[in-house]
Amino acid sequence: MPNEIFIIKERCTGCGSCVKVCPVSCISMADRDKEEGVRWKKLAVIDVDKCVFCNACVEDCDRLFEKTKAKVPDTNVFHAIVMHKDEVAVHVDTAAYKGVWCYAEQRHGKIVPTIYELLHVGGGMAKDLNEELCAVLIGHNVADAARDLIEHGADKVYVLDHPVFEHFLDEAYCSALTELIRKEKPNKLLMPASIIGRSFASRVAISAHTGITADATEFAIDPKTRMMRATRPSFGGNLMATILCEKHRPEMATVRPMSFPRRPAEPGRTGKVVPVQVDPSRWSVKAKFVRFDHEKDDTVDISSAEKIVSGGRGLGKPDGFKLIEDLARVLGAAVGASRPTVDAGWIPYRHQVGLTGRTVRPKLYIACGISGQIQHLAGMSSAEVIVAVNKDPDAPLMKLATLSVEGDLYELVPALIEEIKKVRGN
Ligand SMILES: Cc1cc2nc3c(=O)[nH]c(=O)nc-3n(C[C@H](O)[C@H](O)[C@H](O)COP(=O)(O)OP(=O)(O)OC[C@H]3O[C@@H](n4cnc5c(N)ncnc54)[C@H](O)[C@@H]3O)c2cc1C
């Protein structure tokens, strides 16, 4: 039996509460026919094709029923939505889904660099599957970005260009991408685990009625089943979990930034640009863009830095970061930190490197007073050159580092700063 959902007309008061709770905006209020002889003027109507059978409206209507019943025990209103959900009956023809898609996040028409990492991962999977690598570009006045995506490996770029996409709004972007997924049926969909991607991707997965692996750091295609094996750290980084989405399509994942190399540009590479018409009047967008407030910060951003000097609990006090900043300044590096120093309020979160902070991939990573627990390593182990400064020669990071310097950071770091200044002649 397929999933079904319907309204018991006699019990619906047309209050509109279900419209507000529906995450996919598939419920609207219609005028009732006069001859029905019901005193309520409106009636809820559900667009079953858009419904994801999440049960939110049923729960809401039942809550109103309980509330009313407490005052009027023999009430015959609310409890008006009936849903039959048969998970076993959900059958997706997985063979009908083709192509590896990458959602191409952009800011002011420029592709966010993480997307080149997605195109590297997606390109590998598309090759293994012998399918097309496609990018989906949503925005306003983004034609140049489409060319950039093709030069970075996309065979085809779906372009959804409309003033409604000028600023990122989850509901509009999600409605547009879900409609495109339903129409074009991609096999895999990768999205960046960026701030926007994390909230947007989960919403798309719910709307498209499929599963998602969040924050994956490894990908492979199973040669037998052609399914995506997306791996992510679990249990605080102590275990790597490989997740499969067997019954639903597209198989979705968000990709942790800085976990993969960026696909280089091939100037002059050709591909297909597919403009996609959208009709925003079909969507219910409740949020409104007001303004963007930029964070005031004059330090170098760690996520794109080529050199990072990080401080850990070994600094012993918040002031210790002054020394880290001094070394970073002479090297033209960004300042990173381990989690305990962030938790202690010694330095803001945006500097945290690791599993629950940023993943970085600099050419040089200098760790001062950081032991190198697995959760920290998860964020920096792909740095090209790692220098560890630590009193304890057995600290895990001292074993992993390219260069391990044993000693007190309060003696070694000032000496290093002086040496660099001497070499530079200042
Ligand atoms: C779910 C979860 C997520 C986590 N996410 C993160 C994360 O994103 N990032 C992260 O960093 N951690 C994270 N952690 C915490 C992580 O497990 C470690 O506790 C943390 O990385 C340790 O930080 P640290 O190396 O600064 O401190 P410690 O482990 O205490 O190491 C301090 C080091 O400094 C050395 N030292 C002391 N004094 C000096 C000195 N004067 N000179 C030189 N060396 C000195 C010591 O020998 C020691 O090796 C997470 C933990 C969990 C459970």
Side-chain angles (χ1 to χ4, degrees), residues 20-154:
K20 290 186 195 140
V21 298
C22 176
V24 292
S25 308
C26 76
I27 311 179
S28 54
M29 285 292 139
D31 292 332
R32 278 183 184 265
D33 294 339
K34 285 208 180 77
E35 62 270 21
E36 274 181 46
V38 182
R39 68 184 168 112
W40 318 110
K41 291 201 170 90
K42 299 274 181 189
L43 173 71
V45 178
I46 300 177
D47 180 345
V48 183
D49 288 338
K50 277 173 94 185
C51 178
V52 293
F53 301 93
C54 66
N55 213 40
C57 57
V58 179
E59 280 173 15
D60 185 64
C61 198
D62 288 355
R63 179 184 58 79
L64 291 171
F65 172 70
E66 293 301 333
K67 217 169 145 186
T68 313
K69 204 172 81 172
K71 289 182 198 151
V72 188
D74 60 346
T75 181
N76 59 359
V77 291
F78 300 122
H79 209 355
I81 310 177
V82 179
M83 190 178 101
H84 297 300
K85 191 172 173 179
D86 186 356
E87 286 295 349
V88 185
V90 175
H91 174 75
V92 175
D93 177 13
T94 53
Y97 288 72
K98 293 269 182 286
V100 179
W101 281 19
C102 298
Y103 169 68
E105 187 176 320
Q106 51 83 24
R107 304 259 163 85
H108 310 294
K110 275 201 86 179
I111 297 297
V112 172
T114 304
I115 303 308
Y116 306 133
E117 296 170 38
L118 266 64
L119 289 166
H120 167 86
V121 177
M125 289 200 283
K127 198 170 161 212
D128 290 349
L129 292 163
N130 198 19
E131 291 181 7
E132 264 183 335
L133 176 65
C134 306
V136 182
L137 180 60
I138 308 179
H140 187 41
N141 295 331
V142 287
D144 287 350
R147 271 195 297 281
D148 185 33
L149 290 164
I150 288 171
E151 292 199 337
H152 281 88

Side-chain angles (χ1 to χ4, degrees), residues 170-383:
D170 285 71
E171 292 158 308
Y173 273 58
C174 177
S175 302
L177 184 50
T178 309
E179 281 180 3
L180 191 63
I181 289 171
R182 290 208 179 109
K183 186 165 168 258
E184 298 292 336
K185 296 189 170 26
N187 190 354
K188 326 278 181 220
L189 171 58
L190 302 178
M191 298 178 76
S194 57
I195 290 170
I196 283 179
R198 281 172 200 211
S199 106
F200 179 28
S202 47
R203 194 182 266 265
V204 172
I206 291 168
S207 295
H209 204 241
T210 188
I212 183 166
T213 302
D215 232 6
T217 54
E218 287 170 35
F219 289 91
I221 293 291
D222 186 313
K224 260 196 198 150
T225 61
R226 296 170 66 81
M227 276 183 356
M228 177 168 80
R229 297 170 63 84
T231 303
R232 53 154 297 158
S234 301
F235 295 103
N238 291 309
L239 207 75
M240 296 302 279
T242 297
I243 297 167
L244 302 174
C245 174
E246 287 184 307
K247 296 191 180 132
H248 299 267
R249 292 293 178 274
E251 295 161 77
M252 283 183 68
T254 56
V255 181
R256 193 173 168 89
M258 295 286 173
S259 298
F260 298 94
R262 290 179 189 166
R263 183 156 174 160
E266 291 169 50
R269 189 176 182 277
T270 53
K272 202 169 161 193
V273 175
V274 182
V276 179
Q277 297 304 317
V278 294
D279 177 7
S281 67
R282 287 163 43 85
W283 314 327
S284 137
V285 180
K286 294 171 193 135
K288 197 172 104 189
F289 177 84
V290 180
R291 65 170 188 280
F292 193 90
D293 284 338
H294 288 273
E295 196 176 24
K296 287 190 185 78
D297 179 23
D298 48 13
T299 55
V300 187
D301 177 21
I302 56 168
S303 51
S304 53
E306 294 208 332
K307 291 178 238 165
I308 298 174
V309 182
S310 274
R313 189 150 42 193
L315 292 172
K317 54 189 178 196
D319 267 7
F321 271 103
K322 285 194 180 138
L323 190 59
I324 300 296
E325 280 161 17
D326 288 346
L327 179 56
R329 200 170 303 116
V330 293
L331 287 170
V335 172
S338 69
R339 178 165 159 173
T341 63
V342 172
D343 289 349
W346 296 359
I347 187 161
Y349 170 73
R350 63 179 175 275
H351 295 272
Q352 184 181 318
V353 174
L355 188 68
T356 42
R358 304 272 184 93
T359 303
V360 294
R361 208 177 236 274
K363 291 196 169 133
L364 174 66
Y365 189 84
I366 305 182
C368 307
I370 297 179
S371 59
Q373 299 308 311
I374 191 160
Q375 296 87 358
H376 189 81
L377 300 184
M380 47 63 68
S381 55
S382 17

